[in-house]
Amino acid sequence: MLKKSISRRVLVTGGAGFVGSHLVDRLLAEGDEVLCVDNLYTGDKHNIYHLHNHPKFEFLRHDVTFPLYVEVDEIFNLACPASPIHYQRDPVQTTKTSVHGAINVLGLAKRLQCPVLQASTSEVYGDPEIHPQPEGYWGNVNPIGIRSCYDEGKRCAETLFFDYHRQHGTEIKVARIFNTYGPRMHPADGRVVSNFIVQALQGQDITVYGNGSQTRSFCFVDDLVDGLIRLMRSGPEVTGPINLGNPREFTILQLAQLVIAKTGSSSKIIHAELPGDDPKQRKPDISVAKSTLGWEPGIQIEDGLDKTIAYFRKIVLESAEPWAPPVHAAANIAS
């Protein structure tokens, strides 16, 4: 755990989401006051229910596409749907969340003269032609595809962050988050780890899109949260963008086989058509995170899957109805 000398009041937008709720927990454990803001479009009150009576926790239901008038010392901007199933449901609103949301949190940070961190994504690299992906790579992104609302929205948010930094001197931090997994993922959010675990626990066929040779690198949520806090608490000269992810690379087929082995499932692997704009490779170059933040992931997927499977085993097997992963639940989600 990082050392800290003062108590801060911290705003976390998207704080009721999968990653956001873990970040809120960590900040509270370090003694900070936390204002959790979420419109609950994809966030879930169950993720923060255990904090209901915490003296340093406050929840505000609010959409970041509208201005927010609060007093805080730091801002973590995590507000945006991260699953294709969710962000493609209302693509215009997804772009607004990334762009208008960035403008609003940057305006707040400018007024308060406080640091603001943007949770960006490896999807800014698109279907990369460079592997692994370093921060200096500008990406290979389709600007008019079905995923563009998310990919280009996040790219535009990064532009706004750096323009506010150059034009107004705003202290910014930009983290490019690679595939993250762990407890509190929604069982039907379309992410590859949750899809495979839910299908395996229910004895259903595991759906692999394409031939399964596309690769991803999976970072356990506790490691990611540590990286986000290290980035926020780095000096004002550290702006990023900085990749945060686990560089250990797996094919989607290997992940499916590992989940079957871990769950002891009798599930069979079946193949379906690959969704549009699905990246063939995804692996972070984390040399900047290592040298600048002293950060690298410590939890390997074998251990992280055990914790994630235990979480899903409880909520899926206790559910009265079977969970069904969405159609075309793409295996490439960044966060």
Side-chain angles (χ1 to χ4, degrees), residues 31-67:
D32 290 317
E33 295 183 20
V34 177
L35 172 60
C36 171
V37 170
D38 205 301
N39 68 354
L40 301 180
Y41 178 66
T42 57
D44 193 327
K45 282 186 177 180
H46 288 93
N47 290 337
I48 53 172
Y49 184 78
H50 61 290
L51 302 173
H52 180 68
N53 292 318
H54 197 292
K56 291 190 174 184
F57 175 77
E58 180 181 356
F59 173 73
L60 174 64
R61 186 165 185 170
H62 179 84
D63 190 320
V64 295
T65 60
F66 298 95

Side-chain angles (χ1 to χ4, degrees), residues 63 90 104 113 138 175 196 199 266 285 288 322:
D63 190 320
D90 189 345
N104 288 329
Q113 296 186 326
W138 291 353
F196 287 178
Q199 289 174 324
S266 59
D285 179 335
V288 175

Side-chain angles (χ1 to χ4, degrees), residues 271-283:
H271 294 266
E273 181 182 355
L274 195 67
D277 295 333
D278 192 65
K280 299 178 186 67
Q281 293 177 308
R282 183 71 82 236
K283 176 182 177 180

Side-chain angles (χ1 to χ4, degrees), residues 122 124-141 178 215 243 249 279-285:
S122 63
V124 301
Y125 299 123
D127 189 3
E129 297 173 332
I130 294 177
H131 192 73
Q133 293 81 57
E135 290 86 351
Y137 176 51
W138 291 353
N140 178 38
V141 179
F178 283 67
T215 67
N243 290 337
E249 192 175 14
K280 299 178 186 67
Q281 293 177 308
R282 183 71 82 236
K283 176 182 177 180
D285 179 335

Side-chain angles (χ1 to χ4, degrees), residues 8-36:
R8 305 168 178 85
R9 179 166 169 79
V10 183
L11 167 62
V12 179
T13 70
F18 159 48
V19 172
S21 62
H22 284 278
L23 176 60
V24 168
D25 282 345
R26 172 70 180 271
L27 292 168
L28 290 170
E30 293 193 357
D32 290 317
E33 295 183 20
V34 177
L35 172 60
C36 171

Side-chain angles (χ1 to χ4, degrees), residues 6 8-13 35 68-77 102-118 161 164-165 168-173 231-236 238-239:
I6 58 174
R8 305 168 178 85
R9 179 166 169 79
V10 183
L11 167 62
V12 179
T13 70
L35 172 60
L68 184 63
Y69 303 100
V70 295
E71 302 295 322
V72 294
D73 302 305
E74 291 177 346
I75 304 169
F76 288 84
N77 185 37
I103 291 170
N104 288 329
V105 298
L106 284 163
L108 179 62
K110 176 188 171 186
R111 177 177 70 83
L112 297 175
Q113 296 186 326
C114 74
V116 54
L117 182 148
Q118 168 68 5
F161 265 68
Y164 263 77
H165 176 64
H168 302 298
T170 306
E171 184 178 344
I172 65 164
K173 313 284 183 178
L231 177 55
M232 174 61 87
R233 305 283 158 81
S234 61
V238 179
T239 61

